[in-house]
């Protein structure tokens, strides 16, 4: 795909605050956001987005009242993790990161990542670009085990039934992005969602995030609520929440983070349960 054929996606709203029906607890963690560098765009990316800078990201966290954040290496920057690593280096107490590392590198390469706050490896099975595809699954598992990292998967849960035999053999902690990226039209009783529930019940963490990616409905994405509630019921101690800021590869209604938090209030109306998702669980996964 030539540069002129790569679709451009809009940026997020300037302001992310707005009304939602609860007060964010101190210690809340936004477990999924991106910084984006145009200088690091890979040529075979699936989309082109505006830059998302360190300053914009920190302002977003402050504006909505997030105590901590987790940066995820974005697909359009491939395996050039440096823009993200520099942000982590500047906020060692507040931020952690999930990288897309090169494989078969020196210990010094991975040690630098660990030293600045990388806690996981991301495998992106949905968007093209320089990255780690499913053929590298076992190599990533070995690397994650060596460095005490988890593996985070951006995947379509419809593919999970075929992947389960390999997933169940992995030794690392597993994290599933955006509720398995399963469109609500597929259904709660689909083989993909059943496989996702089984994996979450058995061992995987899951992000109850990205609702706008799963439906054509407007905020607060009511048709996503049964899916999120089912995942929370499957493993309340391994569910976390993320804003998915700056909402890349989205050509529909562009949400504010406050609207994502209002959706969380529907998934977890009980304050104790919600605080577990916002604070206790992510602090254990990313900061312990």
């Amino acid at each position: 795909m030539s540069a002129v054929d790569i679709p451009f996606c809009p940026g997020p709203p300037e302001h992310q605050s707005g009304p939602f029906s609860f007060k964010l607890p101190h210690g809340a963690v936004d477990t999924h956001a991106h910084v984006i560098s145009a200088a690091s765009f890979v040529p075979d990316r699936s989309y082109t987005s505006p830059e998302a800078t360190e300053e914009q990201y920190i302002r977003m966290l402050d504006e909505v009242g997030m105590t901590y954040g987790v940066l995820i290496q974005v697909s359009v920057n491939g395996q050039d993790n440096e823009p993200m690593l520099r942000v982590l280096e500047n906020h060692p107490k507040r931020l952690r990161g999930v990288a897309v590392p090169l494989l078969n590198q020196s210990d010094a390469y991975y040690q630098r990542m660990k030293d600045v706050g990388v806690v996981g490896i991301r495998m992106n099975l949905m968007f093209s670009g320089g990255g780690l595809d499913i053929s590298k699954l076992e190599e990533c598992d070995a690397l994650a085990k060596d460095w005490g990292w988890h593996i985070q998967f951006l995947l379509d849960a419809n593919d999970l039934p075929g992947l389960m035999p390999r997933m169940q053999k992995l030794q690392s902690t597993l994290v599933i992005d955006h509720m398995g990226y399963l469109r609500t039209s597929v259904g709660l009783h689909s083989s993909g969602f059943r496989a996702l529930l089984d994996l979450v019940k058995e061992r995987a963490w899951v992000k109850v995030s990205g609702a706008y990616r799963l439906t054509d409905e407007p905020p607060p994405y009511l048709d996503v609520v049964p899916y999120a509630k089912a995942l929370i019921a499957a493993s309340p101690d391994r569910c976390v929440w993320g804003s998915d800021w700056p909402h890349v590869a989205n050509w529909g209604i562009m949400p504010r983070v406050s609207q994502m938090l209002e959706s969380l209030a529907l998934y977890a109306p009980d304050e104790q349960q919600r605080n577990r998702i916002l604070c206790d669980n992510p602090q254990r996964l990313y900061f312990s």
Side-chain angles (χ1 to χ4, degrees):
M1 183 183 293
S2 69
V4 296
D5 296 324
I6 298 171
F8 183 84
C9 65
E14 182 180 356
H15 295 290
Q16 298 299 311
S17 61
F20 54 95
S21 58
F22 64 94
K23 180 176 172 53
L24 267 180
H26 179 74
V29 186
D30 177 358
T31 73
H32 197 108
H34 309 287
V35 288
I36 303 169
S37 168
S40 297
F41 279 155
V42 292
D44 58 341
R45 61 192 181 275
S46 295
Y47 58 88
T48 296
S49 66
E51 286 197 306
T53 67
E54 174 180 352
E55 292 74 20
Q56 290 170 317
Y57 170 58
I58 296 298
R59 185 165 63 245
M60 180 276 290
L61 292 180
D62 290 343
E63 188 177 349
V64 299
M66 282 288 162
T67 309
Y68 303 109
V70 182
L71 282 171
I72 311 301
Q73 175 68 2
V74 67
S75 66
V76 295
N77 284 165
Q79 290 177 279
D80 180 4
N81 296 273
E82 281 302 315
M84 182 187 73
L85 296 180
R86 287 193 293 269
V87 179
L88 297 181
E89 206 163 25
N90 290 338
H91 304 272
K93 293 183 179 178
R94 189 176 192 183
L95 303 182
R96 294 293 182 266
V98 176
V100 183
L102 297 167
L103 300 180
N104 304 308
Q105 302 299 299
S106 68
D107 283 356
Y109 172 85
Y110 302 115
Q111 187 67 56
R112 194 266 169 132
M113 290 185 172
K114 191 175 181 76
D115 287 345
V116 301
V118 167
V119 294
I121 298 170
R122 189 188 203 197
M123 299 195 73
N124 186 334
L125 312 185
M126 295 197 64
F127 293 107
S128 63
L132 296 164
D133 61 34
I134 197 64
S135 69
K136 307 295 184 184
L137 180 57
E138 285 73 21
E139 286 182 75
C140 288
D141 186 41
L143 181 63
K145 185 170 180 287
D146 285 346
W147 289 94
W149 293 340
H150 63 257
I151 304 178
Q152 177 181 313
F153 294 90
L154 181 63
L155 53 73
D156 183 337
N158 288 306
D159 298 328
L160 262 180
L163 289 174
M164 285 291 271
R166 291 175 72 186
M167 300 281 274
Q168 288 168 333
K169 292 178 183 176
L170 300 178
Q171 299 182 65
S172 308
T173 298
L174 312 182
V175 181
I176 308 297
D177 278 352
H178 305 329
M179 296 184 261
Y181 223 110
L182 191 76
R183 299 284 296 180
T184 56
S185 56
V186 176
L188 282 164
H189 302 292
S190 66
S191 60
F193 193 70
R194 289 200 307 270
L196 177 60
L197 279 178
D198 288 344
L199 194 61
V200 170
K201 286 176 184 175
E202 291 170 11
R203 59 176 299 190
W205 294 68
V206 65
K207 296 185 182 185
V208 285
S209 60
Y212 64 98
R213 300 189 182 280
L214 315 183
T215 178
D216 294 322
E217 295 295 314
Y221 317 107
L222 293 177
D223 56 338
V224 177
V225 173
Y227 295 80
K229 284 191 167 185
L231 290 165
I232 292 168
S235 186
D237 292 324
R238 289 197 299 273
C239 287
V240 297
W241 176 90
S243 68
D244 198 25
W245 181 92
H247 318 303
V248 296
N250 174 31
W251 290 270
I253 296 171
M254 187 61 70
R256 296 190 309 274
V257 172
S258 58
Q259 292 172 309
M260 300 290 94
L261 286 164
E262 183 56 32
S263 292
L264 175 63
L266 301 178
Y267 310 157
D270 176 75
E271 182 180 15
Q272 185 175 2
Q273 182 186 62
R274 193 169 59 244
N275 288 354
R276 192 185 304 178
I277 293 168
L278 283 168
C279 301
D280 301 345
N281 295 349
Q283 287 182 25
R284 193 169 80 251
L285 179 61
Y286 295 100
F287 289 87
S288 63

